[in-house]
Amino acid sequence: MKKLPEPMSWDRAEARKGRFDGKFIIGVLTTGIYCLPSCAARPPRAQNVRLFTTEAEAKAAALRACKRCRPDLYYKGEDENVALFQGLADRVAVAPENFADAPALAKAAGVSLTKLGDLYRDHAHLAPVQWLRRMRVKRAAGELLSGRDKVA
């Protein structure tokens, strides 16, 4: 079994760069979550922290994955941004009328408008509003082509 460091004894700047990701997991007992050492959330007090070597140990301690740094996706080898974009795209494809604008998309994804813009620029190569408009047009065209109703 590998030796874990003392809670919160590491350099925060080095941790934020991802240097310690995969080496240990931070379990915050007061919040009931576990995070990667690079998590951007406010650092917890050392007395509230317990370190784990595996995700299974953290889950066995009744902790859930952080929704900000997504250690569950990290340990599955998935990119959190790809998963976030794909999940949002799937929800919009089913019901684009439920998303009025970019702030509605950001709220549904649980991210800021800036993060949403970065996400769509990287994965759709469009602004979120442009992408949403395309999805609405695609859905409307599909309904027109598949239906027997007259347009007029």
Side-chain angles (χ1 to χ4, degrees):
M1 186 169 173
K2 63 182 170 180
K3 173 107 169 86
L4 294 174
E6 287 296 315
M8 308 310 286
S9 64
W10 51 84
D11 179 24
R12 181 92 169 132
E14 290 295 313
R16 287 296 304 269
K17 292 178 186 175
R19 182 171 170 235
F20 304 118
D21 289 355
K23 295 183 180 179
F24 60 89
I25 298 171
I26 301 172
V28 185
L29 304 177
T30 52
T31 60
I33 64 168
Y34 65 93
C35 296
L36 294 171
S38 62
C39 188
R42 185 172 56 99
R45 292 182 175 168
Q47 66 263 25
N48 298 332
V49 171
R50 185 165 161 219
L51 300 182
F52 301 96
T53 55
T54 65
E55 186 181 22
E57 288 177 13
K59 287 180 179 179
L63 301 177
R64 67 167 176 80
C66 174
K67 292 183 179 180
R68 190 167 190 176
C69 66
R70 301 302 306 263
D72 50 341
L73 295 179
Y74 175 85
Y75 284 101
K76 287 180 186 174
E78 295 179 25
D79 181 353
E80 73 174 274
N81 291 329
V82 171
L84 181 63
F85 175 76
Q86 193 57 53
L88 189 56
D90 292 345
R91 286 191 284 172
V92 171
V94 170
E97 65 278 2
N98 292 344
F99 304 92
D101 51 13
L105 283 172
K107 185 176 180 183
V111 297
S112 68
L113 281 172
T114 303
K115 171 75 174 178
L116 185 76
D118 293 343
L119 193 66
Y120 275 82
R121 243 188 331 278
D122 292 345
H123 299 290
H125 307 289
L126 294 168
V129 173
Q130 292 171 319
W131 180 83
L132 185 58
R133 189 176 309 123
R134 283 188 183 188
M135 293 302 289
R136 287 184 182 146
V137 168
K138 184 177 179 180
R139 172 83 181 262
E143 287 182 14
L144 286 171
L145 291 172
S146 66
R148 294 178 186 237
D149 295 335
K150 294 182 180 179
V151 175

